[in-house]
Amino acid sequence: MKQPFIQMREVNKFYPLDKDRFQALKGINLTIEEGEFVAIRGRSGAGKSTLLHILGCLDGFDEGSYTLNGREVKGLGDGKSARLRNETIGFVLQDFSLVDYRSVLFNVSLPLYFGKYPSRKMKAKAMEMLKLVGLEDQAKKKANQLSGGQRQRVAIARAMVTDPKLILADEPTGALDSRTAGEIMELLQTLNRRGVTVVVVTHDDVVESYARRVVTMSDGEIVD
């Protein structure tokens, strides 16, 4: 029997709080199959971003188990976690997280420098991703010369450049107008149709309408 792409069982996460501790995640059980498009919704403070950071191997957890693509994440050292992130996951963030005064091409190529990708092929690979998001003609521009929608497209191209199996998007349309937000979600939907698993954290009803499944969180728990 094939193991789910993502499986969390009874995951708990605590943060120190004065002399006590705050429980950010409470007994999270979550299964996501390869190729799904899932939205995680909830109010501010519900635990959405904490969950996303654990899914993305950016943060650890205290109790429970988490397997990603058949691999148990708990107990991996920093080096192995970084390698797993680089090989398996692409991140799309609300603030774009681009290097403003470097070229669009440089920004998209950046994840390739941290892997074992041949340097002579980096430009071609980055240009392939820019073409995918419709920005191949902007490659030489600096990132800070682009509109918000274009910057998010660059962020998606950068997330895709390592051919990840999973895209994690944290409020990817939060800084965009409604028309541009729709274009970004359609682009993520297109990537999903190509077989990429997409998980989006949002509080926007329009964004979640693009997902095939919606997971609702409240006070650190999955409630629906």
Side-chain angles (χ1 to χ4, degrees):
M1 185 175 175
K2 186 180 179 183
Q3 193 171 7
F5 182 60
I6 285 173
Q7 187 161 56
M8 286 186 156
R9 290 178 175 166
E10 296 296 326
V11 168
N12 294 310
K13 172 69 176 177
F14 300 91
Y15 290 110
L17 183 65
D18 297 326
K19 295 180 180 179
D20 202 352
R21 59 180 186 169
F22 167 71
Q23 188 168 2
L25 296 181
K26 305 169 185 175
I28 297 295
N29 289 293
L30 178 64
T31 299
I32 298 175
E33 302 292 346
E34 190 168 7
E36 276 201 271
F37 192 138
V38 177
I40 300 174
R41 68 168 298 168
R43 294 182 178 181
S44 178
K48 307 185 303 295
S49 292
T50 300
L51 177 58
L52 198 78
H53 289 164
I54 292 173
L55 286 172
C57 304
L58 293 170
D59 198 0
F61 54 98
D62 298 290
E63 298 167 352
S65 69
Y66 168 33
T67 56
L68 172 60
N69 199 24
R71 191 169 185 183
E72 176 57 58
V73 172
K74 192 171 187 179
L76 289 179
D78 291 343
K80 289 182 178 179
S81 291
R83 194 173 307 116
L84 183 61
R85 279 197 305 272
N86 192 255
E87 293 173 353
T88 310
I89 306 168
F91 295 92
V92 181
L93 306 174
Q94 180 177 347
D95 64 357
F96 319 128
S97 296
L98 302 180
V99 184
D100 278 343
Y101 296 99
R102 297 298 297 268
S103 72
V104 167
L105 185 66
F106 172 85
N107 274 277
V108 176
S109 303
L110 201 52
L112 299 176
Y113 288 98
F114 298 105
K116 297 179 180 179
Y117 205 81
S119 57
R120 66 184 183 281
K121 295 183 178 180
M122 284 184 183
K123 181 178 178 181
K125 183 64 177 178
M127 288 301 297
E128 179 189 340
M129 293 301 105
L130 283 172
K131 187 174 182 179
L132 179 69
V133 301
L135 286 179
E136 66 268 34
D137 58 338
Q138 306 292 319
K140 294 182 180 179
K141 281 191 175 179
K142 289 187 171 66
N144 62 355
Q145 295 176 307
L146 303 182
S147 68
Q150 287 175 322
R151 286 162 66 82
Q152 194 59 294
R153 285 175 180 270
V154 172
I156 291 172
R158 180 188 59 195
M160 287 299 299
V161 78
T162 57
D163 296 319
K165 294 178 179 291
L166 172 65
I167 290 286
L168 297 177
D170 193 355
E171 301 283 4
T173 62
L176 306 175
D177 62 72
S178 58
R179 182 183 64 81
T180 308
E183 292 173 356
I184 293 302
M185 292 311 300
E186 286 171 12
L187 180 54
L188 289 175
Q189 202 171 55
T190 298
L191 296 176
N192 178 244
R193 291 192 191 107
R194 290 167 62 122
V196 179
T197 305
V198 179
V199 180
V200 179
V201 160
T202 187
H203 62 268
D204 187 333
D205 292 343
V206 175
V207 170
E208 74 177 55
S209 70
Y210 285 85
R212 299 182 197 173
R213 181 158 64 104
V214 178
V215 174
T216 304
M217 294 190 69
S218 178
D219 296 324
E221 297 179 278
I222 291 177
V223 295
D224 187 22

